Structures are given as structure tokens and as C-alpha cells.
Amino acid sequence: MKYALVTGGSRGIGRAVSVRLAKEGYHVIVNYVSNREQAQVTLDMIESAGGSGEMLRFDVGDRMQTASAIEGWMQEHPDGYIEVLVNNAGIRRDNLLLWMEDNDWDSVIGTGLDGFFNVTRLLVKPMLVKKHGRIINMASLSGLKGLPGQCNYSAAKGGLIAATKALAQEVGRKGVTVNAVAPGFIRTEMTDGLDEAQLKKTVPMNRFGEPEEVAALVAFLASSESGYITGECISINGGLY
Ligand code: NAP
């Protein structure tokens, strides 16, 4: 059995990635934090496409909770290891820095950046032992260029891109690749409240992207065909920079 873990797999991009990786033959561990019903919908989609998966609840920003869930999974699967990790869980709490509350800063950094650390450090060791692994981090255009109203989110995603490049150099020799994906506007609940009709005019392709388009890129980075790509941040944004 080949295992993949997708954090934040219950909705949006994480759901599309989970379904796609299942189609590629992975048994997908669908992580979620609060939305069990939606995680179940993802699992149902995986199974109706002929794949297999399971749900695993933990808050990626909570170090103890993450360790307990992942170590518990490892104990139950002594012969398996998670060879594909997609650090996808993320939230945004936009505000001008002047008005930003402590919790808006802490929760966005906690989920987007601490979450990467909390999950990845547990899973990278078995990848190194097996001399194969794929780590894909969900960054954002906001982490590349910085966006007003998103100091917290831009910092989390910019940090994630830098960590991607650093970790790639630490583990490359052992057959583990580490890459980031930087989406622009993708149609999910995260972008629900935005004025799509207005914002799409800023996108050269004149539309928002679909989660399945991001999932196709993630599937490529998870595949053996991408084995010589590491430390990269690949944009998927319809030409918007
Ligand atoms: P979404 O629809 O809001 O879904 C967010 C997912 O993250 C949900 O599955 C949620 O789980 C999970 N999550 C949130 N906090 C978590 C935590 N502390 N621990 C574990 N899981 C957690 O978001 P999305 O648009 O699919 O975004 C997915 C990723 O892409 C994020 O990292 C986001 O920053 C990035 N991104 C999105 C866009 C875009 O335009 N949509 C653009 C650039 C980057 P529950 O269902 O349990 O709440």
C-alpha cells in the first residue's frame, strides 16, 4: 500500500488533491480539523472513484495533537510509511497590520507555517530511511509578492517557500524532493467572499482557477516523473503576478 497524507483534505484544494492522489493509486489519509462531515464527503468521493482512504483529525498548528495523531497512525501501520505529504492546511484572516489582532497573526502563522513544521518533521524521517519521499507545500502568490491586508498570510506563505528551499537541500541526497505550489485565485470556500467578477479582470486568463487544476500539478510533483525537481515554487495563477 502506498500512503499519502493531505492536510486540510476535507474541502477545496485539499479535497481535489486527495481525490486525485487516490486515482493515482495512493491510499489517502484525509486530515481535517473541525469539519468531519466534509472530510467524509472527500472520502466518499475517493471511494466512488475506486480508491481508498481514511480520515485523521488533528489541528496541524497544535504540536501535541499532531504528534499524537501521526505517531498513533505509525504505530498502527508498522510496515507502511507515508511517502507523499501535502502540507495544504491553511487559513486566512485578512486585516491591515494596523488593525490586526494577536489571534489573526498567531492562527495564520500557526496553521500555515508551524503546521508545516509540526507535520513534516515527523514524516521526513521514514522518507529518509526508505530513500524516497515527496513533500509538497501549498504556498500562495501572496507569499511571493506580498499582498496588502495579508501581512500574516504573506509571512506564513513566504516562510513556507523559504523552508521548502532549505529542506530540499537537506534531504535531496536521500531521494526526497520538497517543492511548493503557489496558487493565485482558486475557486474554493476561501475565495467565496471575494468579488470574482471584478477580480478575474486582473487575471490574464480572465478566470479563477479550479481546485482540480492545482491537484494535477500536485499529482505531477508527487509522481516519479518529477524526481529531478526540488526546492522549486511553481506558480499556478492564470498569469497573475
Ligand atoms: P478552504 O477551502 O478554506 O479549506 C481549508 C482546509 O484546511 C480545510 O480542509 C480545513 O479543514 C483545513 N484546515 C484549516 N485549518 C486547519 C488546521 N489547523 N489543521 C488541519 N486542517 C486545517 O481552503 P482552500 O482554498 O482549499 O486552500 C487550501 C490551501 O491553498 C491553503 O493553504 C491556502 O492558503 C492555499 N491557497 C488557496 C488559494 C485559493 O485561492 N483558494 C490561493 C492560494 C493558496 P476543516 O474542513 O476541518 O475546517
Side-chain angles (χ1 to χ4, degrees), residues 7-14 31-36 38 58-61 87-91 111 138-141 153 157 182-191:
T7 69
S10 46
R11 291 183 282 124
I13 294 172
N31 159 256
Y32 67 102
V33 64
S34 57
N35 219 324
R36 188 182 169 79
Q38 292 303 309
F58 60 91
D59 176 347
V60 297
N87 284 306
N88 166 78
I91 55 169
T111 306
M138 201 55 68
S140 169
L141 176 60
Y153 188 78
K157 296 303 190 183
F185 293 118
I186 306 299
R187 200 179 289 123
T188 68
E189 279 174 44
M190 189 178 271
T191 51

